[in-house]
Structures are given as structure tokens and as C-alpha cells.
Amino acid sequence: MNVEDPKSHFRLPAETRWPLFLYNLFFPIVLLGMLPQIALRMFRRGGFRAKFGQRLGHFTPDDLARFAAHDWTWIHSISVGETLLALKLARKMRALDPAQNIAISVTTSTGFAVAQPAVCDWLEVIYNPLDSRAIVRRTLRALRPTRLIFIEAIWPNLLATTKKLGVPTALIARLSPRSERRFRTARKIVAPIFRLLDTVCVQEPEDVARWQSLGVETARIQCTGNIKFDLADEMPSREAEFRSLVRKLGVKDGAPVLLAGSTFPGEEKIVAEIFCDLRPEFPD
């Protein structure tokens, strides 16, 4: 893939240029408005300084040398949930093709921390580049992927730039009713973007018609099942270990259990205080 040679580029359809123009017009404004919230979240989670330059498309000489030594499949995830799916997908793809090298990109430092232990000779973890055309081009120039797979969300500039380079793209899709309503409302804008995808992998047969209505050709839609369910099926059960733990804490078998997952420091106290307030009214 040659990012510099214009002859290697495909011309985007005319219907796509207007939505991309609007996206690039409003993206900086939206980003600026969200910047305080994003910065606060990054400070709370910590670890944001490490490899921060990757978010702007800058890589170390060692990173560039490693990328140049192999062909890479790029799996684009976001946070912890998508990263877990990306890791499972990467292992399956590697099992099918032992010569394959895979780069997983994440947005959050928590997702990065989850993926980092899996780094090995064939798997690399990087941060997602900010979705501006210049930054996306720098990242593509460094990584030079042979294919790009989005997990549950697409970034328009990354998709469009990759498509122009002739690199195959796919989306592992999860379309909630709320998202579908929003996309239908803005169908004239989002449909041309969705049509840039070479493949859309959906969970259920009934999802095919929903993606057709959003502009994706039937031939490009594949029903592949739910990776999250597949992941749960393959994980060893820890029910016995869990039961032993709650018994030691004095919890009777069959008693309801309140679970607060993915909490940050201080939030456990909030949950405990609410629990104590509710317990007189709900003794079970």
C-alpha cells in the first residue's frame, strides 16, 4: 500500500464527498466542546501519557521498524468490551492463518491495559488515531495495513482514507434500536458512508434487512453470530469459585447479589450507601 502515490488511490463516489465534508466541518467543533470531558476522563483513568503520540499518528522508530517488517491486519476497537472481542477475533484469525500479524487499536487507556498483556511477536496494540484526515494518513503510512476491521463503530475519515487506498474494510456490527432510529433519520448522510464498507458482519438474520435499509448492499452483509456469546461459551466457568466466596462472606445460597461492575475509586462507596438506604424497604 502506497499512501503517497496518488495513482494508488481510488476515487470516492460523489455521494460520499458531501457527508465527509459535513463531518470534517463539524468534527473539530464537536471535539472542542467535548475536550474538557475527555480530558477529565483521561486524568481519572490515568495512563494517558504513555504512547500519547500514537493518538496523533506519531510512532517511535522501533514501532515503525516492526510495522515495516510484516503485513498487518488492523482491528479497530474502542474500550474494554470491544477490545476483548478484538483479542478473541485476533486469536481466531491467527489460528486460521499462523502467518498473520495483527494490530489492535484502542481509544481508552483501560482498553489499552486490557490488551497490552497479549502483545507478542505477531500481535501489537496501539492507540486509535484521532479521526482527522492528516492524522489518519500518518497512521496508515506507519502501519500499512492489508485490511481494516471495525468493531461496532466506524470512523468516517479512517474508513474513507483506507478505502481510497484499496484496502478491504469490514464492520462487525451491533445496531441497537436507538442507533437504528438515529441512522434512519440521517440516512442521506450515513448511507453513503456505510456503502464504503466491503463487508458488514451482523449478529442475527433479521439484522440483514435493517442494514439494507441503511444503504448496505445485500451481497456485502454476512450473518456471523454474536462474538460476545461465543466468548462466554468458551470461557471456563468460575461458578464454584464464586459460590465459595459468597458463602465465606455469609451470603446464603440463592440470595440476590448486587454487582457493581467497571467502577472507579469512590463509586463503590456510593453504591454501598444507596444499598444501605434501600435495605430497610427491601430486606432481601
Side-chain angles (χ1 to χ4, degrees):
M1 180 187 73
N2 190 335
V3 180
E4 299 294 346
D5 182 6
K7 294 180 181 178
S8 68
H9 294 189
F10 289 96
R11 189 172 179 83
L12 291 176
E15 64 171 3
T16 309
R17 295 171 205 156
W18 176 244
L20 284 173
F21 171 78
L22 291 176
Y23 175 78
N24 286 302
L25 180 65
F26 288 105
F27 177 74
I29 301 173
V30 174
L31 179 63
L32 187 62
M34 295 177 60
L35 198 57
Q37 180 183 357
I38 294 172
L40 178 61
R41 187 178 301 172
M42 291 174 70
F43 275 109
R44 287 182 61 192
R45 290 176 173 174
F48 66 93
R49 290 185 180 89
K51 301 189 176 184
F52 184 85
Q54 292 182 356
R55 302 177 187 272
L56 303 177
H58 297 299
F59 295 86
T60 67
D62 288 343
D63 290 334
L64 295 175
R66 184 178 185 191
F67 295 150
H70 304 285
D71 290 332
W72 295 84
T73 293
W74 181 355
I75 302 179
H76 182 287
S77 70
I78 303 174
S79 190
V80 173
E82 296 84 8
T83 301
L84 290 172
L85 301 188
L87 286 169
K88 183 195 175 183
L89 177 62
R91 294 184 184 110
K92 287 289 187 181
M93 293 175 68
R94 176 72 178 186
L96 292 172
D97 181 6
Q100 190 158 196
N101 296 277
I102 299 171
I104 295 176
S105 65
V106 300
T107 298
T108 66
S109 56
T110 49
F112 193 91
V114 167
Q116 185 63 27
V119 171
C120 58
D121 59 339
W122 60 270
L123 190 144
E124 183 60 86
V125 178
I126 63 173
Y127 276 109
N128 281 325
L130 195 66
D131 197 39
S132 80
R133 284 175 291 190
I135 294 174
V136 162
R137 285 178 63 84
R138 277 201 297 269
T139 303
L140 288 169
R141 189 180 301 119
L143 188 56
R144 300 185 302 171
T146 57
R147 75 182 98 178
L148 171 61
I149 302 171
F150 291 95
I151 304 286
E152 297 189 357
I154 57 176
W155 292 20
N157 278 324
L158 177 57
L159 172 60
T161 307
T162 306
K163 183 70 174 180
K164 286 173 65 177
L165 296 169
V167 176
T169 59
L171 168 67
I172 296 178
R174 184 179 66 87
L175 185 63
S176 67
R178 183 180 180 183
S179 296
E180 183 182 8
R181 287 193 296 271
R182 288 179 175 177
F183 288 148
R184 283 181 183 274
T185 302
R187 188 182 186 280
K188 290 184 178 180
I189 297 175
V190 300
I193 302 297
F194 286 141
R195 278 195 281 269
L196 292 178
L197 291 161
D198 295 296
T199 305
V200 175
C201 302
V202 301
Q203 299 178 4
E204 304 291 343
E206 52 265 31
D207 291 337
V208 174
R210 299 167 67 190
W211 281 96
Q212 286 175 326
S213 70
L214 295 176
V216 182
E217 298 175 6
T218 306
R220 299 188 180 193
I221 306 172
Q222 297 186 20
C223 184
T224 57
N226 190 317
I227 297 181
K228 287 185 178 180
F229 291 160
D230 294 342
L231 180 62
D233 291 342
E234 292 188 5
M235 292 180 66
S237 174
R238 301 181 65 184
E239 181 177 354
E241 180 182 351
F242 173 74
R243 293 297 176 190
S244 175
L245 173 62
V246 295
R247 288 189 190 112
K248 291 178 181 177
L249 296 174
V251 179
K252 297 180 180 179
D253 289 349
V257 175
L258 173 64
L259 173 65
S262 191
T263 56
F264 288 97
E267 293 180 344
E268 295 89 346
K269 181 181 178 182
I270 297 172
V271 174
E273 290 173 346
I274 295 173
F275 171 78
C276 291
D277 291 341
L278 292 175
R279 192 166 189 178
E281 186 177 353
F282 303 97
D284 290 338

